[in-house]
């Protein structure tokens, strides 16, 4: 095969294992023409192998292509070199076209994410592209790609209550720093912190996926992740529906239930000292979910306890 007739797309198909028998023969003939072809082959193969590695970005791949093109362009055009300058230029041009095509195919342009941060005191209602609804707590952030088709996926930082429309063929996924939640159609609450995570189901069923562990959760079941470990517990799913109204309506609520709320809604690691004493006490009342400071104060006064807060850790003990 004459060098000027060589189709460099064949080289990429050959390296990727997609060439047919005739195309393989053409590439092998081209490779045996001179040493420069072999060098070019290994340079392109190195880039394609590098691109296929996990975590490689489009920018890094583009840099590799630029390096190969620069080396080709810098090749000396002497009588001893069987790669004349005009053929080098053609090879560089073709490689740049191939690079653009591969970058477009492997790293397609993605539309900017829709990101919603709730700065208001009251929970913010978000309507998703599939008409599922989210109640986002103050200081929490939700992001997702616009115009969903098949993939229903959101990323959560903070706390939110979800009512997900059922779609059997397209599960709904909530991505969090420590845990993923996969559902078909249900209502649940999720909390995503830097080192902790929690989820509790009000209706339906979800699958919580954590490092090395998966939990299936039904109504009034929750999962908690802290200190590198996860556990499944019985919870009170009815409390979390209250996020839609924006307030807690306590009715003889016990200390264990309060500790659960502090974990699930606010992401605290809660330690209750002398639980046998505190479990005899309860509280009732109407309290805004967003007014966390007043909630702590009310718990302290009504339950006659001391609340010691250190970052995301809370210790509750009798006064």
């Amino acid at each position: 095969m004459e060098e000027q007739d060589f189709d460099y797309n064949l080289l990429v198909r050959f390296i990727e294992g997609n060439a047919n028998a005739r195309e393989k023969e053409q590439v092998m003939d081209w490779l045996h023409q001179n040493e420069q072809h072999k060098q070019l082959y290994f340079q392109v193969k190195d880039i394609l192998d590098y691109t296929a590695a996990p975590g490689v970005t489009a920018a890094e791949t583009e840099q590799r292509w630029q390096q190969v093109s620069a080396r080709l362009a810098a090749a000396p055009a002497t009588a001893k070199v069987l790669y004349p300058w005009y053929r080098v230029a053609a090879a560089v041009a073709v490689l740049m076209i191939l690079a653009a095509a591969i970058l477009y195919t492997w790293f397609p342009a993605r539309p900017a994410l829709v990101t919603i941060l709730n700065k208001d005191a009251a929970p913010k209602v978000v309507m998703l592209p599939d008409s599922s609804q989210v109640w986002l707590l103050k200081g929490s952030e939700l992001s997702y790609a616009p115009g969903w088709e098949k993939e229903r996926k959101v990323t959560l930082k903070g706390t939110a209550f979800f009512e997900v429309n059922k779609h059997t063929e397209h599960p709904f996924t909530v991505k969090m720093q420590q845990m993923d939640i996969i559902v078909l159609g249900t209502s649940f609450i999720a909390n995503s912190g830097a080192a902790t995570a929690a989820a509790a189901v009000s209706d339906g069923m979800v699958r919580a996926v954590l490092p090395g562990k998966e939990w299936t959760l039904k109504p009034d079941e929750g999962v908690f992740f802290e200190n590198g470990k996860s556990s499944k517990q019985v919870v009170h799913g009815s409390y979390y529906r209250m996020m839609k109204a924006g307030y807690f309506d306590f009715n003889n609520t016990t200390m264990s239930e309060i500790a659960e709320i502090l974990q699930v809604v606010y992401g605290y690691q809660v330690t209750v000292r002398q639980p046998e004493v505190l479990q005899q006490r309860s509280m009732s009342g109407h309290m805004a979910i967003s007014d966390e400071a007043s909630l702590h104060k009310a718990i302290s006064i009504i339950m006659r306890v001391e609340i010691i807060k250190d970052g995301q850790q809370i210790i509750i003990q009798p006064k």
Side-chain angles (χ1 to χ4, degrees):
M1 175 185 289
E2 291 296 325
E3 184 178 320
Q4 60 265 34
D5 296 330
F6 184 70
D7 181 359
Y8 287 90
N9 287 287
L10 293 183
L11 183 59
V12 174
R13 289 204 295 274
F14 179 84
I15 293 171
E16 292 181 333
N18 297 323
N20 59 35
R22 178 173 174 76
E23 290 172 338
K24 290 178 182 178
E25 184 179 348
Q26 289 177 311
V27 173
M28 293 303 298
D29 289 343
W30 178 81
L31 284 173
H32 288 103
Q33 283 182 4
N34 58 53
E35 198 64 30
Q36 280 71 31
H37 290 178
K38 293 179 183 178
Q39 293 177 7
L40 180 60
Y41 164 80
F42 285 111
Q43 289 168 338
V44 173
K45 185 178 187 302
D46 175 66
I47 292 175
L48 293 177
D49 290 344
Y50 177 78
T51 304
V56 176
T57 66
E60 292 169 334
T61 302
E62 172 68 16
Q63 185 179 16
R64 286 284 183 111
W65 283 107
Q66 294 287 353
Q67 290 170 350
V68 170
S69 299
R71 286 198 295 269
L72 285 172
T78 66
K80 294 182 180 180
V81 177
L82 301 179
Y83 220 71
W85 70 267
Y86 57 86
R87 291 180 180 172
V88 171
V92 170
V94 171
L95 278 175
M96 294 309 296
I97 293 172
L98 287 176
I102 290 173
L103 287 172
Y104 178 81
T105 302
W106 291 6
F107 300 97
R110 292 183 178 137
L113 293 177
V114 176
T115 300
I116 300 171
L117 173 64
N118 184 15
K119 299 180 180 180
D120 300 328
K124 186 178 185 66
V125 183
V126 179
M127 180 72 74
L128 296 175
D130 67 342
S131 297
S132 295
Q133 293 187 78
V134 183
W135 285 260
L136 203 59
L137 205 63
K138 181 182 179 181
S140 300
E141 182 179 288
L142 189 76
S143 58
Y144 58 90
W148 286 347
E149 292 183 3
K150 295 182 179 180
E151 188 178 50
R152 301 195 297 166
K153 182 169 66 176
V154 301
T155 299
L156 173 66
K157 297 178 183 178
T159 304
F161 182 80
F162 292 81
E163 281 192 347
V164 177
N165 286 336
K166 187 172 183 178
H167 198 312
T168 305
E169 295 180 358
H170 305 305
F172 185 101
T173 302
V174 181
K175 304 285 290 184
M176 303 191 293
Q177 189 164 341
Q178 305 293 342
M179 174 169 62
D180 290 349
I181 299 174
I182 303 172
V183 306
L184 293 177
T186 184
S187 61
F188 62 96
I189 188 172
N191 176 276
S192 175
T196 63
V201 178
S202 296
D203 299 289
M205 186 182 300
V206 310
R207 188 166 84 249
V209 182
L210 298 104
K213 185 70 175 179
E214 288 191 15
W215 299 98
T216 298
L217 306 177
K218 299 177 182 179
D220 295 329
E221 291 182 340
V223 64
F224 299 87
F225 177 83
E226 56 186 42
N227 300 322
K229 298 180 179 180
S230 63
S231 62
K232 182 178 177 180
Q233 300 176 24
V234 174
V235 299
H236 301 80
S238 59
Y239 280 121
Y240 308 114
R241 295 190 195 96
M242 298 178 187
M243 279 194 65
K244 296 165 61 175
Y247 60 84
F248 291 119
D249 192 4
F250 297 123
N251 184 15
N252 292 321
T253 302
T254 65
M255 180 52 67
S256 62
E257 293 171 332
I258 290 171
E260 174 195 316
I261 289 170
L262 292 174
Q263 281 184 289
V264 174
V265 177
Y266 303 105
Y268 289 111
Q269 298 181 50
V270 182
T271 300
V272 179
R273 293 177 177 171
Q274 300 182 44
E276 67 284 356
V277 174
L278 297 182
Q279 198 57 25
Q280 305 303 316
R281 306 172 187 177
S282 64
M283 66 180 290
S284 299
H286 196 76
M287 183 66 61
I289 290 175
S290 60
D291 194 353
E292 186 183 336
S294 295
L295 175 61
H296 289 188
K297 187 175 181 179
I299 294 171
S300 178
I301 294 172
I302 298 172
M303 302 295 280
R304 306 188 305 282
V305 296
E306 180 183 9
I307 298 178
I308 304 171
K309 182 180 174 182
D310 182 11
Q312 285 302 111
Q313 296 189 18
I314 280 183
I315 296 174
I316 302 175
Q317 62 187 21
K319 285 185 176 178

